[in-house]
Amino acid sequence: MSVSLRTLAAAVGASADEEVPITGIAHDSRRVRAGELFVALPGTVQDGAEFVQEAARRGAAAACIAREARPRLDGARLPLIRVDNPRSALARLAAAFYGDPAKQLCLIGVSGTLGKTSTTLLVQAALVASAAGDGVGVVGSLGARVSGRARDRVGGALPDLDGMTTPDAPALHQALRVMADAGVRTVAMEVTSHALAQHRVDGLTFALGVLTNLVPDEHLDFHGTAEHYLATKARFLDQLAPDAPLVFNADDRLVRRMVASWLGRQPRPVIGVSLGEAARVMDKDPDDLAARDAAVAVEELRWDAGGSSFVLAVKRQLPRLDGAVVPEVNVPIVLPVLGIQQVTNAALAAAAAL
């Protein structure tokens, strides 16, 4: 496949002096193939603009660089797109190259410090088991999957995501393109703080969000401070669609605080999920957690060496993405996985699936 350079430039509000066909997008000069657009990303040690000449030698058809960059080309002729933020541009260029596949999909974003992988896979499992789950995709720590099968051939090979929880934009949009072409309509994906900080998910809009928990001293080697980590995580909420519900862990004080602050700016439906009385297992006072105000609660929790069972109590009507509502209902759940944290993950996933 190929897309014209001018079409891609228009997607990032830029212009291109030449009309050349682009056969792919790369941001590592060592992996550039003939005909591809090389996006020169700023780095902590070296700037990608320093490698434009190497990309040209490897056959790049054009390059996207920061507006102020002055790449060395030694006389080589290479069409350039200039942008303010190459990292954000990479995400939008990848989306445009693959025909904006996310617009054909219902995206469920799962963010938080811990439990993203488990919650995402449990959302998929719940949807696959229902009439709504015909071909549910997942993008996360275990790669790109469709209906539980890793790297399934669904109208084309799913890309290898190189072990990244939230992949770089070209691999992400390639995976979404394959899924959309295969008839997948719902994709649950993990959204990490690294991905938010590095603009890998720029341009994506989530129809539903899930926020698992927040541990502020996570990834301080990358974020530097707890404040930067939390501020970065909060950007996930701003990528929800205007009417998108948010399912969140009501037993986490930092999550509640972040959600309350966000609602002050963007009122929308939120669905708190609590362990209720079972929160005492975690040495927390459920009254302090405002568990009684949660829309969804865990009741009748039992566990043994084989796993857990509980009742998911929907205490008030929940919005559905099709405009209908989930009525007040008790849903029995059996979870063949150990750990109280997995009970929370399962409750969040079940509420999201409903």
Side-chain angles (χ1 to χ4, degrees):
M1 65 178 292
S2 68
V3 178
S4 74
L5 180 62
R6 286 179 178 166
T7 296
L8 295 177
V12 292
S15 60
D17 294 334
E18 297 183 34
E19 183 66 295
V20 296
I22 300 298
T23 59
I25 296 178
H27 59 87
D28 185 336
S29 61
R30 297 165 299 180
R31 297 185 179 184
V32 170
R33 293 177 294 187
E36 292 186 331
L37 170 66
F38 171 62
V39 182
L41 302 181
T44 56
V45 178
Q46 290 181 292
D47 193 314
E50 298 175 19
F51 301 97
V52 170
Q53 183 169 271
E54 179 185 351
R57 285 200 303 267
R58 291 178 179 272
C64 175
I65 60 175
R67 198 172 302 281
E68 68 278 6
R70 295 293 180 267
R72 177 181 175 183
L73 287 171
D74 288 343
R77 182 174 179 80
L78 191 70
L80 299 176
I81 298 175
R82 293 185 178 273
V83 296
D84 292 326
N85 186 332
R87 287 193 178 277
S88 184
L90 175 62
R92 299 175 191 279
L93 288 166
F97 180 80
Y98 287 105
D100 288 315
K103 293 182 178 179
Q104 300 173 236
L105 300 164
C106 173
L107 292 184
I108 301 172
V110 179
S111 195
T113 304
L114 306 171
K116 293 185 296 296
T117 300
S118 294
T119 303
T120 303
L121 294 176
L122 288 165
V123 168
Q124 183 190 50
L127 292 176
V128 167
S130 73
D134 191 15
V136 179
V138 160
V139 176
S141 295
L142 300 183
R145 307 160 69 90
V146 173
S147 298
R149 295 187 297 275
R151 301 204 65 181
D152 192 6
R153 293 192 67 85
V154 283
L158 289 169
D160 185 351
L161 304 187
D162 291 331
M164 300 178 72
T165 300
T166 307
D168 286 332
L172 172 59
H173 287 278
Q174 182 185 357
L176 296 180
R177 177 77 272 158
V178 172
M179 291 179 185
D181 288 348
V184 172
R185 290 295 170 259
T186 303
V187 174
M189 63 175 289
E190 300 182 53
V191 183
T192 65
S193 61
H194 286 69
L196 291 163
Q198 296 175 346
H199 301 277
R200 295 181 213 158
V201 293
D202 277 19
L204 292 183
T205 299
F206 298 102
L208 174 67
V210 181
L211 189 55
T212 61
N213 50 53
L214 291 169
V215 180
D217 58 357
E218 182 82 357
H219 299 310
L220 291 186
D221 57 327
F222 177 80
H223 291 282
T225 66
E227 291 74 19
H228 185 270
Y229 173 74
L230 293 174
T232 301
K233 276 294 188 187
R235 287 165 53 181
F236 165 67
L237 303 179
D238 292 330
Q239 290 194 230
L240 301 187
D243 57 349
L246 173 70
V247 176
F248 69 96
N249 181 355
D251 293 339
D252 187 300
R253 290 181 178 84
L254 288 176
V255 167
R256 292 201 314 275
R257 189 180 306 164
M258 181 179 288
V259 171
S261 175
W262 176 64
L263 286 176
R265 297 181 290 109
Q266 301 186 42
R268 67 186 58 228
V270 294
I271 301 163
V273 178
S274 172
L275 289 177
E277 292 299 319
R280 297 188 191 281
V281 176
M282 303 177 74
D283 296 324
K284 295 181 179 180
D285 180 354
D287 291 332
D288 181 53
L289 300 171
R292 289 176 296 181
D293 294 332
V296 179
V298 169
E299 297 181 351
E300 301 178 32
L301 174 62
R302 297 180 177 84
W303 64 87
D304 56 27
S308 309
S309 67
F310 61 92
V311 171
L312 190 78
V314 178
K315 297 183 174 182
R316 57 178 178 265
Q317 291 184 342
L318 309 180
R320 273 186 12 185
L321 297 191
D322 61 3
V325 296
V326 178
E328 295 180 20
V329 65
N330 290 336
V331 181
I333 293 179
V334 176
L335 184 68
V337 181
L338 297 175
I340 191 69
Q341 185 59 55
Q342 293 293 1
V343 173
T344 297
N345 295 339
L348 289 167
L354 287 172

